């Protein structure tokens, strides 16, 4: 029986280096929670996790300095991510730099698809990696996996049941009308399924304040997720949009980072003691160009950044900036323009979930992230 | 009149339009569908004032006035310049008015297919209203670039859309300058690739064409020079911003003069075989099926190529495909289509459609309120790729909740005389036996109306 400590401390690496060890399949996820935040639009890793110790950085980005907090003597973190920094210092957050999926064509649409289905190059799988992961775990029920979006997000689409919800929604129809709707939809599986989800979530006496509601905020979403994770949910995904800073990056990033930081802060607070058993990952489809363009912004790039946070990191590699820094010299850039990706973001995600749930390398590479190499030259959590 | 229509006509009206309600001459054959389309009104009276020129010029004039009065930027932020600080609020009011008018134009249109095509192309050439300047240009974009070209050629439509001021702002072309152009050198400005990329990725050949990063950069360079002349209120070519040189896009060398090369490159892209496939696939995806087959794409793109991108011929070929003409129910109505279709059946008087409701931060007419509640605000697609086309996304638990909530408020507004024979008028032969029996057992009039609007047959097409 491998202890939790072993699993998390480089023990995950040991798991994959030692042949023959196969942790039992589908072991109960028990109390572990996983939250995936998709930062849509391609966040500029270089601007947010700044390689201050690399002389090339100032050459590329200019001398303008921004308030940062030290991470490890080489990298600095923009101060807007105050919660993340506090967690980092407390060894409950970790950052991986210069990562990317195997995808190289810089299209948001495709890049996000790759990030969500978990593979590129072969046949596109049916559904997202988080749905496939849920298939390997012992579900607590139909609300085990939660997709917080107004439609079905790719990362959780697939054959395993997923609950799709958005905070503050409730139905105005009476119980009688609901019964009629059940009859109306009995020959339409899609509508019947959606109606069933609605019925589970609403009760007849819930009053909807209607169109006068204020807009849903990141705080609302995070609170909602934490609430669900206190109940039957164990996997959750939501998005933060707007990272595509082709122009006025200096003016636009602070507000975006504040959203991300708010999400982490609310999750930590609302999860309470369950934070110790939680892993939050925030990832993006790719990074951005190393140089600014003509409009005070950056264009689509390649190598980017991955954030991890949660109590589960404390016994592993919390409080570190991982990855292999490629440098920022002209010949170090990818295609002469982007931060060079030196590791596959999926190997960190894959190793993390393998360690959390006691899954084998085969299970990850066959089912969750097809084709991923969790090999020994990648540092894992 | 509804009683005389065949099931085929009912199905086609839903598949290609917004249902038979309000349809002046429902088509019962593909040929008739296109004939009616060709004589559809291009710009209804309601949209005649939705113009970009005057609005762009007005902003320019206000800026000039402020400068003349010696207002610095810092002062502008604190004080109210002459005429107050209208820009932000006026743009929002323009946007709300434009959305309301566009929606009602679709409700009032005698030919639903024309309006569906306007929305289809508007989605294909997405501009998003969230950028402050685009707010009051998205409506005019649809009126000026899309509507007049729906029944022309794809090349005409592409050129009009890509070079319209709204698109130039939305995708940062107005900020793109050739690095070696006169202004590029003078002011140290450079290229912005956003529009170049999206022209290839979304508007023409699509990702499947495997164009390279060099193609993107070349296309962006070919487009340089194009910007907005605010004083004139329109898009212009400014040679001082144009990157000198010759560029190759997708293997084709662009050799024309600087002021003609963008249009020539766009025309060449319109003729590229990958564009035919990309557009064919999108038409099939929107009108016919969540999963277009290679065979269908091949067939339709063949017509596209042979006709030189003649859109009515392409639409005819699309409608004539048996699985398209007879495939009712395989697609789901988007929120916009749902609201328009429902309002067409309700025939509400202007006093009602203009009534304001409280939105998330401002009041708005109930028409737009409906779309806001369903989170499909006009010209607000989440990315340049446009709105989703999949049934599961529109009829998700969240989507269905929003629809059902709106239905329950709408049915209270339907006049008594419009409620009579509602099921037959709205669904006719499309209604399944199950739907008929459930609606018949409704406990009151409003519930009956609601069940028709909630039915699978009304939410699908």
């Amino acid at each position: 029986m491998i202890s939790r400590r072993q699993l998390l401390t480089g023990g995950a690496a040991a798991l994959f280096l030692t042949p023959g060890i196969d942790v039992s399949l589908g072991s109960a996820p028990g109390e572990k929670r996983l939250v995936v935040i998709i930062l849509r639009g391609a966040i500029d890793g270089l601007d947010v996790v700044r390689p201050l110790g690399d002389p090339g950085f100032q050459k590329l980005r200019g001398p303008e300095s921004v308030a940062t907090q030290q991470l490890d003597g080489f990298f600095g973190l923009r101060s807007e991510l105050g919660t993340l920094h506090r967690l980092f210092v407390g060894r409950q957050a970790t950052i991986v730099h210069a990562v990317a999926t195997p995808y190289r064509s810089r299209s948001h649409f495709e890049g996000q698809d790759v990030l969500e289905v978990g593979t590129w190059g072969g046949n596109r799988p049916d559904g997202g990696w988080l749905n496939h992961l849920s298939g390997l775990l012992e579900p607590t029920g139909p609300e085990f996996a939660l997709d917080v979006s107004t439609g079905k997000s790719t990362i959780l689409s697939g054959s395993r049941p997923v609950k799709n919800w958005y905070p503050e929604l409730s139905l105005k129809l009476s119980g009688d009308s609901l019964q009629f709707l059940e009859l109306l939809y009995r020959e339409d599986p899609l509508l019947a399924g959606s109606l069933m989800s609605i019925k589970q979530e609403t009760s007849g006496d819930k009053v909807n304040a209607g169109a006068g509601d204020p807009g849903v905020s990141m705080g609302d979403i995070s609170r909602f997720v934490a609430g669900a994770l206190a109940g039957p949910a164990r996997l959750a995904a939501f998005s933060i949009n707007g990272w595509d800073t082709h122009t006025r990056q200096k003016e636009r990033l602070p507000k975006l980072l504040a959203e991300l930081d708010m999400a982490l802060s609310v999750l930590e607070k609302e999860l309470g003691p369950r934070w110790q058993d939680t892993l939050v990952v925030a990832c993006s489809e790719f990074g951005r160009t190393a140089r600014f363009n003509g409009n005070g912004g950056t264009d689509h790039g390649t190598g980017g950044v991955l954030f991890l946070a949660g109590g589960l990191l404390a016994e592993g590699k919390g409080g570190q900036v991982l990855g292999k820094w490629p440098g920022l010299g002209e010949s170090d850039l990818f295609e002469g323009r982007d931060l060079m990706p030196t590791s596959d973001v999926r190997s960190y995600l894959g190793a993390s979930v393998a360690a959390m749930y006691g899954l084998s390398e085969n299970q990850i590479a066959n089912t969750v992230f097809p084709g991923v190499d969790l090999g020994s030259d990648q540092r894992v959590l | 009149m509804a009683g005389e229509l065949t099931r085929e006509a009912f199905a086609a009206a839903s598949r290609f339009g917004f249902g038979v309600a309000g349809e002046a001459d429902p088509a019962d054959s593909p040929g008739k569908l296109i004939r009616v389309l060709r004589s559809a009104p291009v710009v209804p009276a309601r949209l005649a004032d939705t113009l970009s020129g005057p609005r762009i010029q007005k902003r320019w004039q206000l800026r000039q006035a402020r400068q003349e009065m010696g207002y610095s930027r810092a002062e502008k932020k604190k004080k109210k310049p002459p005429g107050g600080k209208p820009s932000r609020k006026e743009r929002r009011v323009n946007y709300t008015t434009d959305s309301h008018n566009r929606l009602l134009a679709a409700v009032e249109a005698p030919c639903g297919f024309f309006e569906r095509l306007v929305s289809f192309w508007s989605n294909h050439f997405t501009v998003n209203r969230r950028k402050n300047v685009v707010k009051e240009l998205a409506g005019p974009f649809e009126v000026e670039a899309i509507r007049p070209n729906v029944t022309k050629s794809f090349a005409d439509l592409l050129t009009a859309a890509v070079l319209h001021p709204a698109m130039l702002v939305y995708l940062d072309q107005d900020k793109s300058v050739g690095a070696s152009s006169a202004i590029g050198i003078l002011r140290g400005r450079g290229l912005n690739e956003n529009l170049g990329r999206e022209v290839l990725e979304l508007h023409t050949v699509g990702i499947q064409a495997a164009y390279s990063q060099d193609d993107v950069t070349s296309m962006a360079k070919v487009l340089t020079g194009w910007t907005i002349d605010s004083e004139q209120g329109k898009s212009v070519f400014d040679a001082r911003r144009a990157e000198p040189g010759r560029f190759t896009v997708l293997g084709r060398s662009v050799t024309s003069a600087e002021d003609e090369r963008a249009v020539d490159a766009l025309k060449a892209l319109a003729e590229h075989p990958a564009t035919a496939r990309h557009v064919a696939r999108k038409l099939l995806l929107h009108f016919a099926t969540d999963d277009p087959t290679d065979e269908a794409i091949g067939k339709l793109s063949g017509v596209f190529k042979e006709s030189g991108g003649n859109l009515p011929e392409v639409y005819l070929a699309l409608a004539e495909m048996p699985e398209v003409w007879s495939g009712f129910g395989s697609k789901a109505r988007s929120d916009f289509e749902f609201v328009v279709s429902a309002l067409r059946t309700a025939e509400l008087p202007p006093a009602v459609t203009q009534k304001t409701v409280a939105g998330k931060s401002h009041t708005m007419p109930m028409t737009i309120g409906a779309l806001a509640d369903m989170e499909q605000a006009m010209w607000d697609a989440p990315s340049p790729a446009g709105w989703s086309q999949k049934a599961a996304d529109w009829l998700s638990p969240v989507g269905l909740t929003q629809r059902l909530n709106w239905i329950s408020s709408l049915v209270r507004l339907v006049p008594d005389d419009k409620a009579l024979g509602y099921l037959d008028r709205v669904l006719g032969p499309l209604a399944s036996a199950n739907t008929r029996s459930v609606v018949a057992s409704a406990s009151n009039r409003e519930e009956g109306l609601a069940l028709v609007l909630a039915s699978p047959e009304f939410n699908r097409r």
Side-chain angles (χ1 to χ4, degrees):
Chain A
M1 180 64 189
I2 299 197
S3 78
R4 187 179 132 204
R5 191 185 172 78
Q6 279 176 293
L7 277 176
L8 291 169
T9 321
L15 211 58
F16 303 117
L17 292 174
T18 316
I21 291 188
D22 215 5
V23 182
S24 60
L25 287 177
S27 47
E31 295 306 295
K32 300 213 178 56
R33 274 89 171 157
L34 174 65
V35 180
V36 180
I37 305 178
I38 303 178
L39 307 172
R40 296 189 188 274
I43 182 175
D44 187 13
L46 271 183
D47 201 328
V48 179
V49 183
R50 303 178 139 233
L52 301 169
D54 189 325
F57 182 59
Q58 210 182 73
K59 279 204 194 100
L60 282 171
R61 288 295 178 93
E64 188 151 16
S65 67
V66 145
T68 54
Q69 292 167 296
Q70 268 299 338
L71 288 173
D72 62 359
F74 185 84
F75 291 102
L77 183 69
R78 283 183 70 125
S79 313
E80 290 95 347
L81 293 176
T83 305
L84 184 64
H85 186 258
R86 174 178 53 76
L87 291 169
F88 186 91
V89 166
R91 301 194 59 217
Q92 294 195 342
T94 279
I95 296 169
V96 192
H97 221 317
V99 290
T101 63
Y103 175 72
R104 293 289 172 270
S105 294
R106 307 189 186 90
S107 146
H108 287 307
F109 177 52
E110 259 191 337
Q112 284 176 27
D113 197 61
V114 173
L115 186 66
E116 293 183 77
V117 301
T119 190
W120 173 246
N123 287 325
R124 184 186 179 283
D126 237 331
W129 67 261
L130 198 54
N131 190 291
H132 294 139
L133 173 66
S134 84
L136 294 174
L137 307 176
E138 202 58 54
T140 52
E143 304 196 2
F144 180 68
L146 174 67
D147 169 15
V148 184
S149 71
T150 50
K152 286 196 183 170
S153 61
T154 303
I155 194 174
L156 273 169
S157 65
S159 56
R160 307 297 302 179
V162 170
K163 182 172 140 156
N164 165 228
W165 202 247
Y166 206 61
E168 308 300 333
L169 269 180
S170 66
L171 197 57
K172 289 183 206 163
L173 294 182
S174 68
D176 285 345
S177 293
L178 280 179
Q179 280 185 330
F180 276 118
L181 284 174
E182 265 184 52
L183 292 171
L184 194 61
Y185 294 156
R186 62 183 157 199
E187 292 167 2
D188 191 313
L190 177 61
L191 284 166
S194 292
L195 184 66
M196 183 128 72
S197 294
I198 293 171
K199 280 183 64 179
Q200 281 163 359
E201 183 59 20
T202 60
S203 55
D205 54 2
K206 215 169 179 180
V207 174
N208 182 18
D213 280 347
V216 176
S217 73
M218 199 45 60
D220 292 333
I221 290 181
S222 309
R223 242 180 310 273
F224 181 74
V225 168
L229 293 172
R234 293 290 177 273
L235 308 175
F238 61 93
S239 305
I240 303 181
N241 300 332
W243 299 94
D244 192 25
T245 49
H246 285 282
T247 61
R248 296 174 64 241
Q249 184 162 310
K250 194 168 71 125
E251 289 85 354
R252 290 162 65 183
L253 258 190
K255 195 163 166 217
L256 291 159
L257 291 171
E259 295 259 282
L260 173 57
D261 205 64
M262 154 100 82
L264 293 172
S265 148
V266 171
L267 280 170
E268 183 201 10
K269 175 160 174 278
E270 300 290 322
L271 279 165
R274 285 172 215 98
W275 178 251
Q276 295 313 310
D277 290 309
T278 297
L279 179 68
V280 181
V281 300
C283 48
S284 199
E285 59 264 40
F286 34 74
R288 304 192 76 80
T289 48
R291 295 177 196 85
F292 279 116
N293 61 25
N295 309 131
T298 47
D299 294 319
H300 304 173
T302 312
V305 76
L306 168 70
F307 300 108
L308 304 108
L312 283 174
L313 286 162
E315 292 193 33
K317 296 202 173 155
Q320 299 182 39
V321 182
L322 301 175
K324 184 162 169 286
W325 185 248
L328 294 172
E330 184 65 38
S331 55
D332 298 324
L333 297 177
F334 177 66
E335 294 186 356
R337 56 176 269 165
D338 306 335
L339 180 66
M340 174 75 73
T342 51
S343 348
D344 185 344
V345 68
R346 306 172 305 154
S347 65
Y348 294 90
L349 296 171
S352 303
V353 301
M356 274 171 83
Y357 301 109
L359 301 171
S360 72
E361 184 170 350
N362 274 337
Q363 286 176 297
I364 303 296
N366 289 337
T367 307
V368 184
F369 294 112
V372 73
D373 179 10
L374 296 174
S376 52
D377 65 336
Q378 304 277 10
R379 303 291 296 257
V380 298
L381 291 169
Chain B
M1 161 116 179
E4 299 153 12
L5 291 173
T6 59
R7 186 180 192 284
E8 209 174 343
F10 264 92
S14 284
R15 203 116 243 257
F16 298 98
F18 299 106
V20 299
E23 192 70 26
D25 196 4
D28 53 5
S29 71
K32 184 169 179 193
L33 182 73
I34 304 303
R35 272 199 306 283
V36 174
L37 175 72
R38 285 187 190 275
S39 51
V42 174
V43 180
R46 182 181 277 288
L47 300 178
D49 290 330
T50 312
L51 300 167
S52 60
R55 291 177 182 175
I56 297 172
Q57 287 176 306
K58 184 172 181 187
R59 301 291 155 233
W60 183 84
Q61 282 154 11
L62 282 174
R63 278 202 299 277
Q64 291 303 107
R66 285 199 290 270
Q67 276 169 21
E68 266 155 42
M69 296 204 50
Y71 274 91
S72 69
R73 283 193 82 167
E75 282 170 320
K76 248 194 290 182
K77 283 186 182 162
K78 286 191 213 140
K79 291 188 209 180
K80 278 192 170 188
K85 199 179 181 187
S87 291
R88 190 163 284 239
K89 184 171 176 199
E90 255 188 43
R91 283 178 172 136
R92 184 175 48 74
V93 169
N94 281 338
Y95 165 72
T96 305
T97 308
D98 289 349
S99 307
H100 175 75
N101 280 330
R102 193 273 171 276
L103 196 128
L104 285 184
V107 173
E108 295 158 359
C111 173
F113 188 36
F114 187 88
E115 300 303 319
R116 286 279 304 279
L117 287 167
V118 170
S119 293
F120 169 79
W121 288 116
S122 207
N123 194 47
H124 180 79
F125 292 107
T126 283
V127 297
N128 186 296
R129 54 106 189 194
R130 287 198 191 207
K131 242 177 169 143
N132 205 27
V133 175
V134 182
K135 251 190 184 62
E136 59 177 2
L137 297 181
F141 170 78
E142 201 174 81
V143 171
E144 294 165 341
I146 306 289
R147 295 188 81 100
N149 292 298
V150 162
T151 52
K152 297 248 170 54
S153 75
F154 181 73
D156 291 333
L157 178 58
L158 174 70
T159 308
V162 169
L163 299 179
H164 188 276
M167 185 66 78
L168 298 184
V169 173
Y170 174 53
L171 291 178
D172 304 315
Q173 178 63 25
D174 60 332
K175 300 189 168 72
S176 183
V177 173
S180 308
S181 68
I183 290 189
I185 293 171
L186 188 68
R187 299 196 198 149
R189 300 263 306 274
L191 204 64
N192 187 300
E193 290 181 356
N194 231 354
L195 181 60
R197 170 183 304 282
E198 307 300 8
V199 165
L200 294 176
E201 179 177 334
L202 300 173
H203 303 158
T204 58
V205 295
I207 290 175
Q208 310 282 3
Y211 51 84
S212 69
Q213 176 57 43
D214 283 342
D215 288 321
V216 172
T217 307
S218 290
M219 190 65 210
K221 288 179 179 169
V222 164
L223 287 166
T224 51
W226 278 94
T227 185
I228 299 173
D229 182 325
S230 299
E231 189 179 0
Q232 291 189 64
K234 56 184 192 154
S235 307
V236 295
F237 176 81
D238 180 353
R240 299 170 302 163
R241 303 164 70 105
E243 179 76 358
R246 289 208 170 165
F247 309 105
T248 303
V249 179
L250 282 170
R252 191 180 162 282
S253 188
V254 183
T255 54
S256 17
E258 274 178 7
D259 59 340
E260 290 168 355
R261 66 188 180 186
V263 175
D264 284 351
L266 288 171
K267 288 206 163 103
L269 285 171
E271 288 163 15
H272 196 287
T275 299
R277 286 191 65 85
H278 183 64
V279 170
R281 184 179 177 279
K282 289 196 76 178
L283 281 166
L284 284 160
L285 182 63
H286 176 76
F287 283 101
T289 166
D290 282 356
D291 284 300
T293 61
D294 282 340
E295 197 197 324
I297 296 171
K299 209 156 128 203
L300 194 59
S301 61
V303 174
F304 188 103
K305 277 187 295 240
E306 275 146 37
S307 70
N310 180 313
L311 291 174
E313 280 186 52
V314 175
Y315 305 147
L316 179 63
L318 172 73
E320 280 176 339
M321 294 167 80
E323 69 270 36
V324 177
W325 185 256
S326 313
F328 174 83
S330 59
K331 296 288 299 180
R333 281 182 161 151
S334 70
D335 291 332
F336 168 76
E337 292 161 23
F338 179 80
V339 170
V340 171
S341 303
L343 289 175
R344 284 169 78 102
T345 68
E347 294 179 51
L348 301 175
V352 176
T353 54
Q354 252 135 228
K355 194 157 179 271
T356 55
V357 294
K360 282 184 178 162
S361 36
H362 311 284
T363 56
M364 55 186 74
M366 63 83 84
T367 47
I368 309 307
L371 289 179
D373 281 348
M374 295 183 205
E375 298 181 77
Q376 196 191 5
M378 208 73 75
W379 310 302
D380 195 23
S383 87
W387 294 100
S388 164
Q389 299 293 315
K390 308 245 166 184
D393 290 334
W394 294 112
L395 303 179
S396 64
V398 171
L400 184 59
T401 300
Q402 292 167 332
R403 242 172 239 207
L404 293 173
N405 282 341
W406 185 67
I407 286 172
S408 56
S409 50
L410 175 68
V411 294
R412 279 182 274 247
L413 302 171
V414 177
D416 279 338
D417 59 331
K418 302 299 170 206
L420 287 173
Y422 193 70
L423 174 72
D424 286 322
R425 189 158 59 81
V426 172
L427 295 180
L430 291 176
S432 68
N434 182 52
T435 295
R436 278 193 181 274
S437 83
V438 175
V439 171
S441 51
S443 33
N444 59 54
R445 184 195 74 120
E446 276 168 18
E447 191 163 69
L449 298 180
L451 288 168
V452 174
L453 292 170
S455 67
E457 296 89 331
F458 195 81
N459 283 275
R460 292 178 175 280
R461 52 170 169 80

